[in-house]
Amino acid sequence: MSNTHLLIRMRRRRASLGIRSMVRETRVLAADLIYPLFVTKNAPGREAIASLPGIARLGTEDAVREAARAYELGIPAVLLFGIPRTKDPKGVQASFAEGAVQSSVRAIKKELPSLVVITDVCLCSYTDHGHCGLLSHTSDYVRNDATLPILGRIARSHADAGADIVAPSGMLDGMVLAIRHALDDAGHARTSIMSYSVKFASAFYGPFRDAADGAPKRGDRKTYQMDPTNGSEAEREAALDAAEGADFLMVKPALPYLDVIRRVKQACPGLPLAAYNVSGEYAMVKAAAAAGVWEEKAAVQEILTGIRRAGADLIITYHAPDVAQWLKDSGG
Ligand code: PBG
């Protein structure tokens, strides 16, 4: 068969919209999406976040309303980030039973028992220094092992409130195992762990730090978040979390790390893999759309398709309700 012949055959597969759709290899469905919500008890209602157009800090009632909107659009899960009243060196409010996350979990689960509620387990928006763990008195290093029991207590308080999945995001060594033990000891054997297994020290978290008011006040997160240059290390991080008992793995951010998503999926094929399409990726799409550079819907669909094609089973994205609405509008 000549090359010309082969070329004609490939084109034929794409020629009709019907056939094109039959041979589609990758789909992004509402069922694949997780919608992040910022919850607070500092003020009722919705407080817009300048760097994240369309996203707001939500009081408990509005968090329930926003979760219900997502649920009705077919999105199976929300991921909650808490903004506390006050901060201190140890981030004590992170495990308060009446904290923003715990209160929102209870309210959402009461109203929407089938919606999966995932909670972020980390100290960075609760500590006055803005780091993801306790800080050494003498340096800008996070005290890894001393922080682990605290993460266990935070996870337990979330599970007590009714969280289905806890998601430790601090990139501390041993966090999955410590949280697994803490949950099991408290009778929460059925609570799952979604670990931010592969989290890079990234410029793409800028808008999130503004939203959650969690930028480090001194030092940076390079001592615990991964170096963007490393792919094999990502595989090892994921395998360690799998061994510690993680039920879901994650790669974050998504777009600059599509190859890492593929590698982690291949290294740990048995575990569901989530990719976090982070705040900077969202803000970039929005800014380009506002500048008339591209059409938002097409850009978002292409980006999320790329993340799925790379190997992610689930995508955490601020675009989730938009995507679900577009799918609904197109009968998908
Ligand atoms: C903190 C945390 C961050 C994000 C999720 N959890 C920021 C950071 O590490 O600085 C970023 C999410 C986003 O950018 O959308 N543990």
Side-chain angles (χ1 to χ4, degrees):
M1 195 188 291
S2 73
N3 278 342
T4 325
H5 219 99
L6 195 62
L7 188 67
I8 291 166
R9 273 208 310 158
M10 295 309 288
R11 289 170 59 87
R12 194 160 63 219
R13 279 159 55 97
R14 294 191 287 260
S16 101
L17 284 181
I19 297 175
R20 212 179 158 93
S21 157
M22 279 170 71
V23 298
R24 187 160 290 155
E25 296 174 33
T26 309
R27 285 172 209 275
V28 178
L29 307 174
D32 306 322
L33 305 177
I34 299 170
Y35 183 35
L37 300 178
F38 296 99
V39 298
T40 177
K41 289 175 95 178
N42 294 347
R46 303 172 63 94
E47 186 196 348
I49 300 163
S51 56
L52 285 175
I55 304 295
R57 297 191 191 92
L58 305 167
T60 310
E61 269 178 40
D62 284 82
V64 175
R65 216 168 288 146
E66 191 64 9
R69 184 170 82 90
Y71 182 69
E72 278 151 26
L73 284 166
I75 295 164
V78 290
L79 168 60
L80 305 188
F81 291 97
I83 297 140
R85 272 187 210 285
T86 56
K87 301 175 188 242
D88 62 80
K90 294 184 173 169
V92 294
Q93 292 213 1
S95 54
F96 276 11
E98 298 304 321
V101 169
Q102 293 82 351
S103 303
S104 307
V105 171
R106 280 192 299 270
I108 293 171
K109 287 306 282 187
K110 187 163 167 234
E111 202 70 38
L112 307 158
S114 325
L115 179 68
V116 174
V117 177
I118 312 172
T119 55
D120 183 72
V121 174
C122 197
L123 279 175
C124 58
S125 53
Y126 297 87
T127 49
D128 52 11
H129 46 72
H131 280 281
C132 300
L134 299 178
L135 218 51
S136 151
H137 297 296
T138 49
S139 69
D140 287 346
Y141 280 96
V142 159
R143 296 171 60 205
N144 188 96
D145 295 9
T147 304
L148 298 180
I150 300 179
L151 297 182
R153 279 202 290 282
I154 300 172
R156 183 195 163 160
S157 74
H158 293 176
D160 285 345
D164 301 287
I165 304 176
V166 294
S169 63
M171 280 302 276
L172 300 190
D173 292 333
M175 66 182 183
V176 172
L177 189 64
I179 288 173
R180 186 70 271 158
H181 281 311
L183 290 173
D184 291 352
D185 288 350
H188 291 302
R190 285 171 53 216
T191 309
S192 301
I193 301 176
M194 176 183 283
S195 179
Y196 286 63
S197 315
V198 179
K199 178 169 171 181
F200 290 95
S202 171
F204 285 76
Y205 306 146
F208 174 95
R209 291 180 184 175
D210 173 27
D213 188 20
K217 302 289 176 286
R218 59 187 164 101
D220 56 40
R221 298 208 170 124
K222 289 185 181 142
T223 57
Y224 41 104
Q225 296 183 349
M226 277 186 53
D227 185 337
T229 64
N230 292 0
S232 331
E233 186 185 353
E235 289 181 31
R236 186 161 157 70
E237 285 279 8
L240 281 170
D241 278 0
E244 287 182 30
D247 302 285
F248 299 80
L249 302 175
M250 193 196 300
V251 172
K252 172 185 171 188
L255 261 191
Y257 301 98
L258 295 176
D259 60 317
V260 176
I261 293 174
R262 165 58 54 97
R263 287 175 73 156
V264 167
K265 189 65 198 169
Q266 281 171 346
C268 304
L271 280 180
L273 177 62
Y276 201 143
N277 178 224
V278 299
S279 57
E281 299 173 53
Y282 173 87
M284 188 168 73
V285 169
K286 289 281 182 189
V293 171
W294 60 22
E295 200 239 311
E296 182 174 352
K297 176 177 163 182
V300 171
Q301 287 178 329
E302 190 171 334
I303 288 170
L304 299 191
T305 300
I307 297 170
R308 286 272 291 127
R309 196 184 58 244
D313 302 295
L314 299 162
I315 306 174
I316 303 166
T317 178
Y318 303 94
H319 296 289
D322 292 341
V323 175
Q325 187 66 54
W326 295 328
L327 286 166
K328 209 169 160 184
D329 293 346
S330 66

